Amino acid sequence: MTDSSAPRRVVITGVSKGIGRAVALAFAARGAKVAGLHIDGDAASAEVTEAIRKAGGDPMIRVGSTNNTADVDRLADDAAAAWGGIDVWVNNAARLLVKPFLEMSDSDWSSLLDTNLMGYIRGARAAARHMVKARYGAIVNVSSVVDNMPPTEMTGYVSAKAGVSGLTRAMAVELGQYGVRINAVSPGATETPLNAQSWTDAVRATYRERIPLKGIADPEDIAAAIVMISSDDARYITGQVIVADGGLMLNGSVGHKHN
């Protein structure tokens, strides 16, 4: 086991915006070395690199896709070579598709699952190769509460997130013997660029009404949960899906009449 007081060596996919960027800055504020992959181009790389540096971190940001095994493996290998290993890997890169099930083609399914499930598999595999050798590490998969409460016309996205939950549990069983922990953090309603593609004001109002804590999450709220579950304070927790939803999934209220 490494010294938990030492700066972490962290790799994050989808690092340029939303939850990924918030995770990068949260670790940077703790003095971490932060590597990341994203598809948004050189200008986005420069911006997030500077933000990580200003927050107190040591950045290594690359343009690339989790759909490409070579991009993912290269980042893992380069980070491990530069820093002597990887402590934390966060699978976060994803895409959204809102489309009726009967209108989804094979191509729609393949494309969505390639990013939202296979991308996580590629990331976890690249990280685990280094963590197993070190007999230490934490992989965190960003899932979603849609696994348990599916919205309409999001069958592909929901199926991928359900796969992420299964991947998390299966890997935890297989890799626990090597000191590698795998958990998932499952956000509820969160203000991210991804969700902005499909949310209307009415959607936001519904979430605010249904969430017991009466607020939609910021990416920083989810980042805090990811930092927590990847820390050595959570060293005996593995194979879990940690729900960070402000109580959304608990709310079965439908407006019963008072007796």
Side-chain angles (χ1 to χ4, degrees):
M1 181 177 293
T2 64
D3 179 1
S4 62
S5 66
R8 312 246 78 184
R9 300 164 296 182
V10 183
V11 183
I12 305 158
T13 68
V15 74
S16 61
K17 56 182 179 278
I19 291 171
R21 187 179 189 277
V23 172
L25 297 184
F27 276 110
R30 292 160 174 78
K33 300 177 185 298
V34 180
L37 193 70
H38 69 95
I39 60 173
D40 293 324
D42 292 339
S45 283
E47 192 281 329
V48 74
T49 293
E50 182 60 19
I52 290 169
R53 190 170 286 122
K54 283 185 176 179
D58 178 8
M60 178 190 294
I61 305 301
R62 302 282 175 79
V63 176
S65 173
T66 58
N67 290 18
N68 187 320
T69 298
D71 287 348
V72 176
D73 287 351
R74 188 179 304 113
L75 180 63
D77 292 345
D78 288 352
W83 300 335
I86 298 170
D87 296 315
V88 179
W89 183 287
V90 181
N91 281 314
N92 167 72
R95 57 179 289 261
L96 190 65
L97 178 65
V98 181
K99 194 171 184 178
F101 172 71
L102 291 178
E103 295 179 14
M104 288 184 66
S105 66
D106 285 1
S107 177
D108 289 331
W109 278 100
S110 296
S111 176
L112 192 72
L113 293 174
D114 194 26
T115 299
N116 290 16
L117 182 55
M118 280 304 304
Y120 281 43
I121 291 168
R122 294 182 187 103
R125 183 175 58 200
R129 284 173 179 150
H130 295 281
M131 292 175 176
V132 164
K133 290 177 185 176
R135 303 190 73 81
Y136 176 84
I139 297 170
V140 182
N141 297 319
V142 179
S143 187
S144 172
V145 296
V146 301
D147 179 8
N148 297 105
M149 46 186 307
T152 187
E153 299 187 347
M154 289 178 62
T155 308
Y157 187 77
V158 172
S159 298
K161 291 303 185 183
V164 167
S165 296
L167 174 69
T168 298
R169 292 191 293 268
M171 285 187 62
V173 171
E174 187 164 339
L175 300 184
Q177 62 185 310
Y178 304 109
V180 181
R181 298 187 300 111
I182 297 90
N183 290 291
V185 169
S186 185
T190 308
E191 285 285 4
T192 65
L194 188 69
N195 285 330
Q197 298 173 25
S198 60
W199 282 8
T200 64
D201 288 343
V203 169
R204 289 182 174 85
T206 299
Y207 275 131
R208 291 190 181 101
E209 176 62 27
R210 287 197 56 76
I211 294 169
L213 291 182
K214 299 303 180 187
I216 293 172
D218 292 320
E220 290 76 15
D221 297 318
I222 310 306
I226 291 169
V227 170
M228 176 186 68
I229 198 63
S230 65
S231 76
D232 281 350
D233 289 339
R235 61 188 172 272
Y236 203 61
I237 300 174
T238 194
Q240 302 304 306
V241 179
I242 309 299
V243 177
D245 71 345
L248 174 64
M249 285 205 308
L250 299 175
N251 191 358
S253 301
V254 292
H256 289 87
K257 182 175 68 175
H258 291 170
N259 292 328

